Amino acid sequence: MRYLALSTMASCAAMMIGTPGYGQTAAQGADAPAQGSDASPDGEVSTTGLADIVVTAQKRSQSAQKTPAAVTALSSEILVSRGLVDLAAINNVVPGARFNQEGNSMQLFLRGVGSNLDIANIEPVVNFNVNGVFIPREGTSAPLFDLESIEILPGPQGTLYGRGALGGAVNANFKRPTHELSTDAILEVGNYNLVHGTVTQNIPISDVLAVRLGGDYIYHEGYMKSGAYSKDDFAGRIGLLYEPNPDLKIYLWGQGVTKNGSPANAVNKGLDPVTGQYNESAFLNKDPWNDLRTPAQIAQAQSVPGLGGLFFQPRKDDQTYTFLSTGGQIDLRLGDGLTLSYIPSYLYLKSSERHWNGVLESQTDAKYRQVTQELRLSSDGPNLQWLAGIYAFQQRNSGFIILAPDVANLFVTNVLYNRIQGIAGFGQATYAIASGLRLTVGGRYSITGKKANGISPGDPNQTPYFFDRTFRHFDVKAGFEYDIAPRVMGYFTYQTGYQAGTYNEFPATSTQDNLVKPADLDSFTGGIKSRFLDNRLQVNVEGFYYKYTNLVLQSFDLSKVYNEIFNAKRVEIYGGQLDVTLRPTSNDMMSVSVSYAHARNKDFVTPDGSNFNGLQPPYAADWTIVGNLSHDFSLRNGYIRAAADARYESRWWADYLHNRGTEQKPSVIVNGSITYYSEGGRWDLGIWAKNLTNEAKIAAAAANGFPGPASGFLIEPRTFGGRLGLHF
């Protein structure tokens, strides 16, 4: 969005001249579909205690309360009961996160670290993985269904994840086949003619072979007046599990996704239609989701000298989207606690979508082919746990953004070929050096090569550009954990993250290189994880300090046809996260998560000499507060669960300049549900509502509005519906 906005302004200027939890896993216990005993981290059983959550954030299974990081884990039950069908919806329940959807792209930010450049030569800086496989930007908007869990891990994860994990990692894991015959079906209906169905079938072929099949379809009419912002998406999946003996496990999976809905349009923001004056919170229409213009407003836009021929009435546009991916994991137990794991994958993605930024249409195309492989050896001994591995990948992609397609075809980015390939060796070990005291060290050495070519945007001579560089880097991790008490653990960790360099879309010359330097992040975190009151109260707290160097952004200069990408030298981020979960009775659960991330520019000078020190980076709210409350009403043949959750977010800006119209004022989003669960869990029936206050909060914005000053994508309006679940 940022790239598109700035390039839009630059292109227009050129023509005039003459040519934006749940407390560290605790909420998972709140949404279990059945009541009963829960195991404590110590293996004890309590009929009213909090569940012990197992996470794989460190590429091995361990209790979340024994993981030295602020992991937020969302179980399958949470995702289904709250209707969290994609990352944009998950944004509402994760502290310190901002997941922005723009067309088929998702911009992931954790604690103020992320990237808002949706172009082919920029990789995300928050790593999104499915079954341990890195997924490129346009793949992150695929529907999420039949998942075992999603884990959100803030902070740099350079040693274990490497690529794209400078700001953190988001890990989604499919449910694997089991050796039991089972069928699960979910049907939802709601306003905007919503129809959403998910069906999964688990089939035990034999004692050693099982298959899991799944399909998901979602349809709803457009949330916008034009009919835009609709869904007509299908996803299919197959998984195979082969366990010929206790020492060998082979898991293979494949997934396909198509989208046939209409992408959201961006609406004008920041201008009062009555007074004609600047008003940060104003939209052109009383209904913010009304993306249409009056005849007078269209005439006003078309009267702009030299530009009127580009502006028209917004409409519902189409898209094509095909996403195919396959992969697996082979685990071979070698004895003496050793396990050899191999994780291969292949991915193909092709996306083409059009949407409107106010009265200006744009088209975004992207295409990917990717192969990844990871081979690692791990050991899980009583005093020493370690893993070491090799990771290799190759990605070939291309992409462009065009303004006013079919009218002027103004390219603002045009990457014809972009190849990224790399290899890395990594390792991490945790050793118990004394009773209750453990030391962790890790490292990763990576070599990344980038080779690309394209046509310089805005150049009337269509000058080609080329790029061919290799980047080498070593990430480190060091920390310790100490068991202060049986259910209280303290930890401190230093670790780094890295984003390989990239290029500007113009030819390198003797006086101006097209290199954009690599970005680095150094992180210091410390925290305490604890449980009290017979395992009913969980209190986790973490403090952090990040030094972020060479942040990759795009300049803003109306005198240039092409706005170059540059490095902001230093951004400082510090803060803390407090997560409290209380289960006072077996029928009640409440949790609150408070995240504070003070992100400010410290050495931030643009190529033209402008100084933005002291300002917040894009989409970096200081405060987010997430709360959840649920109560179970026991019945003779089941129970009813009433639940509500809310998210508060302080103000943020969508660009580093803090342009007018790109500010999101402090906001609160409230959701609720009431669900009946039958005895034995065979079926459930419920109603739900999201964004109860119908708040028109921007998901992302940029300074490209006509008449101005900005335009923004909005979150979904108030939606409500019913859900039926069947489980056999």
Side-chain angles (χ1 to χ4, degrees):
M1 183 72 175
R2 174 73 262 147
Y3 188 97
L4 177 58
L6 300 185
S7 299
T8 300
M9 300 295 287
S11 299
C12 292
M15 292 179 66
M16 291 180 184
I17 294 171
T19 56
Y22 294 113
Q24 299 178 6
T25 77
Q28 190 152 329
D31 287 84
Q35 297 169 311
S37 300
D38 296 315
S40 75
D42 306 311
E44 300 174 3
V45 174
S46 172
T47 57
T48 58
L50 295 168
D52 183 27
I53 311 304
V54 176
V55 297
T56 58
Q58 298 195 100
K59 296 196 173 182
R60 63 185 179 92
S61 297
Q62 63 182 144
S63 165
Q65 288 301 100
K66 294 295 185 181
T67 301
V71 185
T72 298
L74 305 174
S75 69
S76 173
E77 291 78 20
I78 288 178
L79 299 172
V80 171
S81 65
R82 297 180 190 174
L84 307 179
V85 297
D86 52 33
L87 283 179
I90 288 173
N91 174 78
N92 290 328
V93 299
V94 179
R98 169 123 294 283
F99 301 159
N100 308 324
Q101 182 158 3
E102 296 186 350
N104 288 326
S105 294
M106 291 293 302
Q107 299 172 350
L108 309 184
F109 288 78
L110 293 175
R111 292 178 174 172
V113 182
S115 175
N116 61 344
L117 300 180
D118 301 329
I119 51 181
N121 56 323
I122 301 292
E123 285 200 295
V125 297
V126 173
N127 180 301
F128 180 68
N129 302 287
V130 171
N131 293 339
V133 174
F134 174 86
I135 303 297
R137 182 186 299 107
E138 285 76 10
T140 58
S141 64
L144 302 175
F145 73 101
D146 197 35
L147 296 184
E148 186 65 34
S149 66
I150 288 184
E151 300 173 9
I152 298 92
L153 184 60
Q157 307 298 323
T159 55
L160 290 183
Y161 293 93
R163 178 187 180 196
L166 181 143
V170 178
N171 300 322
N173 298 293
F174 297 162
K175 283 188 175 180
R176 293 191 176 190
T178 66
H179 295 289
E180 295 181 358
L181 181 65
S182 64
T183 304
D184 294 276
I186 299 168
L187 175 63
E188 291 182 297
V189 295
N191 59 338
Y192 295 96
N193 285 331
L194 168 70
V195 177
H196 178 212
T198 302
V199 178
T200 57
Q201 180 67 56
N202 196 89
I203 307 172
I205 304 298
S206 69
D207 292 340
V208 299
L209 180 64
V211 174
R212 189 175 185 88
L213 305 172
D216 182 85
Y217 176 74
I218 183 169
Y219 170 88
H220 67 70
E221 293 181 349
Y223 296 137
M224 313 198 82
K225 187 71 172 180
S226 67
Y229 208 170
S230 66
K231 283 187 177 182
D232 186 6
D233 305 343
F234 174 78
R237 187 182 302 157
I238 183 171
L240 183 148
L241 182 64
Y242 179 56
E243 299 176 289
N245 59 65
D247 296 327
L248 178 62
K249 181 183 297 184
I250 300 175
Y251 170 53
L252 303 176
W253 57 270
Q255 176 175 249
V257 179
T258 63
K259 296 183 184 181
N260 299 289
S262 177
N265 290 333
V267 296
N268 202 90
K269 181 179 180 293
L271 181 73
D272 190 317
V274 176
T275 65
Q277 301 299 311
Y278 164 71
N279 181 340
E280 184 62 45
S281 301
F283 297 94
L284 286 186
N285 293 295
K286 183 178 181 181
D287 175 11
W289 288 272
N290 183 355
D291 54 339
L292 300 180
R293 302 288 179 96
T294 65
Q297 290 169 339
I298 291 293
Q300 179 188 16
Q302 292 179 339
S303 68
V304 178
L307 298 177
L310 302 178
F311 301 151
F312 298 94
Q313 179 73 272
R315 64 176 182 266
K316 170 184 175 181
D317 265 333
D318 298 323
Q319 67 175 329
T320 59
Y321 183 92
T322 302
F323 180 26
L324 303 172
S325 57
T326 183
Q329 180 168 337
I330 302 173
D331 295 314
L332 177 62
R333 191 163 61 186
L334 303 177
D336 297 326
L338 289 176
T339 301
L340 182 67
S341 299
Y342 175 55
I343 305 173
S345 77
Y346 172 77
L347 177 151
Y348 169 83
L349 191 153
K350 186 175 183 180
S351 168
S352 179
E353 58 98 357
R354 291 187 179 189
H355 68 265
W356 290 77
N357 296 294
V359 290
L360 181 65
E361 189 180 24
S362 69
Q363 178 177 337
T364 302
D365 278 40
K367 186 176 181 179
Y368 294 85
R369 295 182 188 273
Q370 175 184 278
V371 175
T372 69
Q373 299 183 80
E374 182 173 317
L375 180 68
R376 65 175 183 253
L377 183 66
S378 61
S379 176
D380 197 13
N383 296 315
L384 176 64
Q385 297 87 40
W386 60 267
L387 63 83
I390 299 174
Y391 174 77
F393 75 97
Q394 183 181 90
Q395 175 185 293
R396 296 174 185 265
N397 70 297
S398 60
F400 63 81
I401 298 176
I402 299 176
L403 302 179
D406 304 327
V407 178
N409 284 331
L410 301 174
F411 280 90
V412 297
T413 175
N414 190 6
V415 178
L416 301 178
Y417 173 83
N418 188 71
R419 187 198 70 189
I420 311 173
Q421 59 184 14
I423 188 169
F426 62 92
Q428 181 171 303
T430 299
Y431 178 64
I433 58 178
S435 178
L437 179 62
R438 298 172 294 280
L439 176 68
T440 297
V441 294
R444 185 186 193 99
Y445 181 70
S446 59
I447 303 173
T448 305
K450 293 192 175 184
K451 186 174 183 179
N453 65 269
I455 303 297
S456 299
D459 187 343
N461 299 318
Q462 294 192 334
T463 305
Y465 64 85
F466 301 91
F467 185 80
D468 190 355
R469 295 289 180 95
T470 299
F471 304 92
R472 294 175 170 83
H473 186 75
F474 187 71
D475 278 306
V476 298
K477 179 178 182 178
F480 69 85
E481 311 155 28
Y482 180 63
D483 296 329
I484 302 171
R487 292 178 178 170
V488 181
M489 182 188 78
Y491 62 89
F492 179 84
T493 304
Y494 167 75
Q495 57 185 330
T496 65
Y498 171 74
Q499 179 186 22
T502 187
Y503 54 89
N504 272 294
E505 295 183 63
F506 53 71
T509 66
S510 58
T511 58
Q512 185 179 27
D513 199 351
N514 60 1
L515 171 69
V516 179
K517 296 178 182 179
D520 297 272
L521 196 151
D522 290 79
S523 164
F524 301 85
T525 60
I528 295 177
K529 293 192 169 185
S530 57
R531 285 190 175 181
F532 308 98
L533 302 180
D534 193 25
N535 206 38
R536 299 183 185 190
L537 173 65
Q538 177 173 293
V539 180
N540 294 338
V541 61
E542 180 175 278
F544 59 89
Y545 173 82
Y546 298 161
K547 186 178 74 171
Y548 193 175
T549 57
N550 288 328
L551 168 67
V552 177
L553 289 168
Q554 186 189 23
S555 60
F556 186 88
D557 189 343
L558 291 178
S559 68
K560 295 181 179 179
V561 175
Y562 175 75
N563 282 278
E564 65 184 286
I565 301 168
F566 71 100
N567 297 105
K569 288 186 179 180
R570 181 166 169 246
V571 175
E572 182 182 74
I573 307 173
Y574 62 83
Q577 184 171 320
L578 171 66
D579 302 284
V580 180
T581 302
L582 175 64
R583 189 172 187 177
T585 73
S586 61
N587 291 332
D588 295 279
M589 179 77 79
M590 55 193 71
S591 65
V592 63
S593 177
V594 180
S595 174
Y596 176 68
H598 185 274
R600 297 295 186 272
N601 302 326
K602 288 298 180 180
D603 189 358
F604 192 123
V605 180
T606 63
D608 67 359
S610 299
N611 189 312
F612 292 92
N613 287 341
L615 298 186
Q616 292 169 253
Y619 303 106
D622 284 348
W623 293 92
T624 60
I625 303 174
V626 177
N628 169 259
L629 177 66
S630 69
H631 177 76
D632 294 346
F633 298 89
S634 299
L635 304 174
R636 168 178 275 184
N637 296 314
Y639 65 98
I640 294 175
R641 170 165 293 160
D645 61 79
R647 174 189 174 95
Y648 166 82
E649 193 171 36
S650 62
R651 69 175 181 170
W652 49 263
W653 285 264
D655 61 26
Y656 70 85
L657 301 100
H658 292 196
N659 271 309
R660 296 195 306 176
T662 67
E663 178 186 353
Q664 171 59 53
K665 298 287 187 178
S667 60
V668 177
I669 303 297
V670 181
N671 310 304
S673 65
I674 300 175
T675 307
Y676 169 77
Y677 294 97
S678 68
E679 185 176 17
R682 290 293 187 179
W683 63 278
D684 52 81
L685 180 66
I687 57 175
W688 52 265
K690 304 176 190 177
N691 192 5
L692 280 165
T693 59
N694 204 34
E695 175 147 1
K697 180 179 179 180
I698 58 174
N704 64 351
F706 292 94
S711 66
F713 293 97
L714 302 179
I715 66 170
E716 297 181 359
R718 182 192 297 118
T719 57
F720 53 85
R723 178 186 301 110
L724 171 65
L726 302 174
H727 316 282
F728 302 102

